[in-house]
């Protein structure tokens, strides 16, 4: 096992299966109060598909009752137990059904992540009259209206719960501001008297502390203590395994650092948490990680946008850059990768939906590589009837490949603007592991890639059935893998093919620094001469050496034509 671990260049050392998360909801689920029951019923199926963790939607009562998706937070302690906002159950079901769904998932070995929304509240029970200042919507640090009295919905007394679990009542002193004056019926950004926006937040609009509803004041000692009590209560009461933290860029950066640290100390567990910091700039995410000492993972928003732009590029996208300037390239151990979510799906506030033709490309990039913790979107797995979107064909195949075959040394061939690929060597202890991936955003072609000497003589087929021909691996471990126009193929040994043993330096010292015409062994890992890492810097120009020797069909002809043009003599006027 020690040899396997040393040679499986992976962020998570070899385990019985790779980790894969699912976001188990989409925005337009019917408000039939039956979702928790469906989650429980699907637990075994999800386990068999390779899911190891499920992110469930917010389980507490929202301002719109049974119609609320869960992000307009009203009562954090009402998990579908009390008659509030016109209903006992939430959109997804009752408290008991929620707890049963959690247990059903855990019984299948699936971790449960609760969606936590702590930045704002909505649907207050009573109004208050207070002084406030009008702030510029696009520069929250600039005051545009002097002090005046407004009427605000800021008193949360939760009469339906009547003090059960917590007797804490909220009033305007616990908040920074709001966006609505109930007396004048005017919208705007109002900062309450004596309050200042938290300074350690995202810098968009000058200060992006305020998002919606009434904004919690994280400098208020009462607020922080109550949220800490709630977190401890929720974790113990529900038995969840971790958290998805909503809109962290709008909350003082120090809050979740302290909140999570105290929870982990209280329960003596390494509680997993991933935050949603919606920004496509890698440097901004890195700054948050630095400020929070890396206590939580982040969704890889830059990667999502790379995939989105590739999908809408009509082929004009340089695939060598698809993984660059992403959290995956910078902090893979903290990167939760995703293709789409409930906010990016059609019709939503952050709509940036990866187009259907590129969905399998994108899922290959997050499911079949060694870096990152992938999250599969409910809408891609089950479909989105509201938008007429069908489940992504081939997604379940990729999930099973991740579960069974995505192990071992990875070889990258990000060496052409249109066609890229990589291989995984697999592990001896996992029969059938290892594969080759090749994809293009334009015309099809082939790429010679090193699969591993242990596959010599094996016949590979495209498990996605996009290419009907087979590929035979040569004696040196190479295959000439092909892909159709605008497509992706995943090549794997045919069932029943016999493979040899992988070369491990700890077992065979003689191959250290062994070199041949194709490449060399370095620290026990074979590196092809034409490998180019997905994360290495590349220049704009295409170097012929990076793909000559492969039958790149049209691309080889393009380079030849370009070279001939350069060799032509340009006439000079005398």
């Amino acid at each position: 096992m020690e040899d396997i671990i040393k040679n499986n260049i992976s962020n998570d050392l070899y385990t019985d299966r790779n980790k894969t998360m699912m976001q188990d909801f989409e925005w337009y689920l019917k408000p039939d109060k039956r979702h928790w029951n469906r989650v429980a019923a699907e637990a075994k199926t999800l386990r068999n598909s390779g899911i190891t963790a499920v992110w469930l939607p917010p389980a507490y009562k929202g301002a719109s009752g049974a119609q609320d998706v869960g992000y307009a937070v009203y009562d954090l302690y009402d998990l579908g137990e009390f008659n509030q906002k016109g209903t006992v159950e939430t959109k997804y079901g009752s408290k008991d059904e929620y707890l049963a769904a959690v247990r059903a998932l855990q019984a299948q070995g699936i971790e449960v992540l609760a969606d936590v929304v702590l930045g704002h509240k909505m649907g207050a029970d009573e109004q208050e009259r207070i002084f406030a200042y009008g702030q510029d919507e696009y520069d929250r640090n600039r005051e545009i209206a002097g002090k005046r009295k407004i009427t605000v919905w800021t008193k949360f007394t939760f009469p339906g719960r009547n003090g059960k679990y917590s007797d804490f009542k909220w009033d305007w002193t616990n908040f920074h501001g709001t966006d609505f004056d109930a007396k004048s019926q005017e919208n705007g950004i109002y900062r309450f008297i004596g309050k200042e926006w938290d300074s350690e937040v995202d810098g968009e609009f000058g200060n992006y502390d305020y998002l919606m509803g009434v904004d919690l004041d994280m400098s208020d000692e009462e607020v922080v203590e109550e949220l800490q009590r709630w977190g401890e209560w929720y974790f113990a009461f529900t038995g969840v395994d971790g958290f998805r933290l909503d809109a962290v860029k709008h909350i003082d950066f120090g809050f979740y650092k302290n909140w999570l640290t105290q929870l982990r100390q209280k329960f003596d567990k390494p509680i997993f948490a991933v935050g949603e910091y919606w920004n496509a700039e890698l440097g901004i995410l890195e700054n948050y990680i630095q400020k929070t000492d890396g206590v939580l993972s982040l969704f890889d928003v830059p990667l999502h946008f790379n995939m989105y732009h590739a999908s809408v590029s009509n082929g004009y996208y340089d695939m060598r850059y698809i993984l660059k300037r992403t959290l995956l390239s910078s902090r893979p151990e903290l990167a939760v990768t995703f293709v789409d979510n409930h906010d990016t799906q059609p019709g939503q506030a952050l709509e940036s939906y990866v187009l259907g033709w590129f969905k399998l490309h994108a899922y290959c990039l997050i499911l079949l590589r060694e870096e990152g913790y992938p999250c599969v979107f409910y809408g891609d797995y089950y479909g989105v009837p509201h938008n007429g979107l069908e489940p992504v064909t081939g997604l379940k195949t990729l999930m099973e490949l991740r579960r069974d075959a995505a192990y071992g040394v990875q070889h990258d061939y990000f060496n052409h603007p249109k066609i890229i690929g990589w291989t995984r060597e697999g592990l001896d202890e996992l029969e059938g592991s290892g594969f080759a991936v090749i994809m293009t955003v334009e015309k099809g072609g082939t790429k010679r890639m090193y699969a591993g000497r242990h596959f010599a003589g094996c016949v590979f087929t495209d498990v996605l059935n996009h290419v009907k021909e087979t590929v035979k691996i040569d004696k040196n471990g190479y295959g000439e893998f092909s892909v159709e126009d605008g497509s992706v193929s995943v090549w794997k040994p045919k069932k029943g093919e016999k493979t040899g043993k992988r070369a491990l330096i700890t077992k065979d010292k003689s191959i250290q620094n062994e070199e041949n015409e194709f490449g060399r062994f370095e620290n026990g890992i074979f590196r092809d001469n034409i490998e180019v890492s997905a994360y290495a810097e590349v220049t704009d120009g295409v170097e012929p050496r990076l793909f000559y020797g492969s039958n790149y069909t049209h691309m080889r002809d393009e380079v030849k034509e370009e070279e001939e043009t350069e060799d032509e003599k340009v006439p000079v006027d005398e």
Side-chain angles (χ1 to χ4, degrees), residues 121 124 126-135 140 143 145-156 170-182 188-197 209-210 212-217 220:
K121 296 181 78 67
E126 300 174 29
Q127 296 177 346
E128 295 180 277
R129 288 279 287 166
I130 64 169
F131 284 105
Y133 301 89
Q135 306 292 128
R140 308 292 175 76
E143 186 179 312
K147 183 177 72 172
R148 69 184 178 99
K149 216 163 196 179
I150 63 174
T151 300
V152 291
W153 288 96
T154 46
K155 289 199 74 171
F156 293 80
W170 299 73
D171 62 32
W172 76 270
T173 64
N174 303 128
F175 305 108
H176 281 133
T178 189
D179 63 354
F180 182 67
D181 177 3
I189 304 297
Y190 300 100
R191 177 175 54 83
F192 298 161
I193 189 169
K195 297 288 185 174
E196 298 292 339
W197 306 123
D209 183 357
Y210 182 82
M212 64 177 70
V214 283
D215 181 72
L216 272 64
D217 180 356
D220 185 323

Side-chain angles (χ1 to χ4, degrees), residues 133-145 188-191 196-198 201-210:
Y133 301 89
Q135 306 292 128
D136 188 336
E137 181 179 355
Y138 301 103
D139 182 359
R140 308 292 175 76
N141 295 316
R142 189 170 77 89
E143 186 179 312
I144 58 174
I189 304 297
Y190 300 100
R191 177 175 54 83
E196 298 292 339
W197 306 123
D198 290 329
V201 293
D202 189 80
E204 191 175 356
F205 302 131
N207 179 298
Y208 214 174
D209 183 357
Y210 182 82

Side-chain angles (χ1 to χ4, degrees), residues 189-475:
I189 304 297
Y190 300 100
R191 177 175 54 83
F192 298 161
I193 189 169
K195 297 288 185 174
E196 298 292 339
W197 306 123
D198 290 329
S199 59
E200 283 286 0
V201 293
D202 189 80
E204 191 175 356
F205 302 131
N207 179 298
Y208 214 174
D209 183 357
Y210 182 82
L211 176 63
M212 64 177 70
V214 283
D215 181 72
L216 272 64
D217 180 356
M218 295 306 185
S219 66
D220 185 323
E221 189 174 322
E222 278 190 334
V223 170
V224 173
E225 289 176 353
E226 171 61 10
L227 294 181
Q228 196 67 48
R229 282 193 298 269
W230 175 81
E232 294 174 5
W233 170 83
Y234 192 93
F235 190 76
F237 186 78
T238 64
V240 296
D241 302 286
F243 301 102
R244 179 266 183 186
L245 307 175
D246 183 67
V248 298
K249 77 181 196 177
H250 305 284
I251 298 173
D252 184 85
F253 292 172
F255 172 77
Y256 275 126
K257 175 183 173 181
N258 297 328
W259 191 80
L260 285 168
T261 299
Q262 290 184 48
L263 274 182
R264 289 163 180 163
Q265 291 173 349
K266 167 82 173 178
F267 295 98
D268 194 25
K269 290 183 178 179
I271 301 169
F272 176 79
V274 54
E276 179 220 18
Y277 195 120
W278 198 258
N279 198 297
E281 293 295 325
L282 175 61
I284 290 176
L285 300 190
E286 289 177 325
N287 176 65
Y288 184 81
I289 289 172
Q290 181 182 4
K291 293 289 179 62
T292 57
D293 292 337
V295 298
L296 68 159
S297 296
L298 292 179
F299 286 105
D300 198 342
V301 179
L303 175 60
H304 160 75
F305 277 104
N306 283 0
M307 296 188 293
Y308 167 71
H309 291 309
S311 79
V312 299
S313 70
N314 198 30
Y316 293 99
Y317 189 89
D318 191 331
M319 289 294 284
R320 295 173 299 171
Y321 294 89
I322 190 76
L323 299 183
K324 288 180 171 58
R325 300 298 298 166
T326 64
L327 202 57
L328 198 66
S329 67
S330 171
R331 296 297 296 271
E333 74 283 3
L334 294 178
V336 174
T337 55
F338 69 103
V339 176
D340 276 301
N341 63 29
H342 63 294
D343 285 323
T344 69
Q345 68 182 101
Q348 285 312 297
L350 303 175
E351 181 178 344
S352 48
Y353 202 61
V354 174
L355 296 187
W357 75 273
F358 196 78
K359 283 285 189 180
L360 280 189
H361 294 64
Y363 273 109
C364 281
L365 287 164
I366 72 170
L367 289 172
L368 301 187
R369 293 183 59 78
E370 63 185 359
E371 310 89 1
Y373 184 178
C375 182
V376 174
F377 178 43
Y378 179 101
D380 291 332
Y381 187 85
Y382 291 108
V384 183
H386 178 272
N387 296 113
L389 298 172
E390 297 293 326
V392 175
T393 302
L395 174 56
K396 292 182 180 179
T397 298
L398 297 185
M399 293 166 64
E400 291 166 0
L401 276 169
R402 177 170 176 81
R403 179 194 66 199
D404 299 333
Y407 300 94
V409 177
Q410 180 171 286
H411 300 271
D412 281 351
Y413 293 85
F414 283 65
N415 52 13
H416 190 274
K418 303 303 177 185
I419 297 183
I420 61 170
W422 67 91
T423 66
R424 300 292 298 274
E425 290 191 25
L427 298 171
D428 289 337
E429 280 68 14
L430 289 179
E431 184 178 351
S433 60
F435 49 72
V437 180
I438 180 171
M439 63 178 64
T440 179
V441 291
E442 198 189 52
K443 297 178 183 178
T446 68
K447 186 182 289 288
R448 182 180 68 87
M449 297 189 289
Y450 178 78
R453 286 183 178 177
H454 51 286
F455 286 126
C458 288
V459 174
F460 277 44
T461 59
D462 177 10
V463 296
L464 296 178
N465 296 313
H466 293 158
V467 179
K468 302 305 179 185
E469 293 80 10
T470 61
V471 171
K472 188 171 184 178
I473 306 303
D474 68 23
K475 65 180 181 179

Side-chain angles (χ1 to χ4, degrees), residues 10-228:
S10 177
N11 299 310
D12 294 313
L13 298 182
Y14 171 75
T15 56
D16 59 338
R17 55 180 175 164
N18 282 317
K19 295 194 302 181
T20 307
M21 185 191 306
M22 170 177 274
Q23 177 185 353
D24 206 351
F25 67 102
E26 53 97 0
W27 192 269
Y28 298 110
L29 287 178
K30 292 181 179 180
D32 57 10
K33 307 177 183 180
R34 297 176 58 189
H35 187 60
W36 299 143
N37 292 336
R38 288 191 291 268
V39 168
E42 283 284 290
K44 186 174 182 180
T45 299
L46 293 181
R47 189 276 311 273
N48 291 338
S49 295
I51 296 298
T52 62
V54 161
W55 153 26
L56 295 177
Y60 27 79
K61 194 67 59 70
S64 301
Q67 302 296 318
D68 207 298
V69 176
Y71 295 98
V73 182
Y74 168 64
D75 187 356
L76 291 167
Y77 287 96
D78 184 356
L79 306 181
E81 181 179 2
F82 306 100
N83 189 356
Q84 301 188 110
K85 298 303 176 185
T87 179
V88 172
E89 297 92 343
T90 67
K91 176 180 180 176
Y92 310 109
S94 70
K95 175 203 72 175
D96 291 339
E97 290 166 342
Y98 173 62
L99 297 178
V102 171
R103 301 294 173 265
L105 291 165
Q106 291 171 333
Q108 296 298 327
I110 297 175
E111 294 182 347
V112 178
L113 306 183
D115 205 326
V116 171
V117 187
L118 299 184
H120 58 269
K121 296 181 78 67
M122 301 179 78
D125 301 298
E126 300 174 29
Q127 296 177 346
E128 295 180 277
R129 288 279 287 166
I130 64 169
F131 284 105
Y133 301 89
Q135 306 292 128
D136 188 336
E137 181 179 355
Y138 301 103
D139 182 359
R140 308 292 175 76
N141 295 316
R142 189 170 77 89
E143 186 179 312
I144 58 174
K147 183 177 72 172
R148 69 184 178 99
K149 216 163 196 179
I150 63 174
T151 300
V152 291
W153 288 96
T154 46
K155 289 199 74 171
F156 293 80
T157 59
F158 315 116
R161 179 159 55 82
N162 196 29
K164 187 174 181 180
Y165 304 128
S166 172
D167 59 3
F168 188 83
K169 304 294 191 294
W170 299 73
D171 62 32
W172 76 270
T173 64
N174 303 128
F175 305 108
H176 281 133
T178 189
D179 63 354
F180 182 67
D181 177 3
K183 184 177 182 180
S184 66
Q185 296 292 299
E186 292 178 355
N187 294 101
I189 304 297
Y190 300 100
R191 177 175 54 83
F192 298 161
I193 189 169
K195 297 288 185 174
E196 298 292 339
W197 306 123
D198 290 329
S199 59
E200 283 286 0
V201 293
D202 189 80
E204 191 175 356
F205 302 131
N207 179 298
Y208 214 174
D209 183 357
Y210 182 82
L211 176 63
M212 64 177 70
V214 283
D215 181 72
L216 272 64
D217 180 356
M218 295 306 185
S219 66
D220 185 323
E221 189 174 322
E222 278 190 334
V223 170
V224 173
E225 289 176 353
E226 171 61 10
L227 294 181
Q228 196 67 48

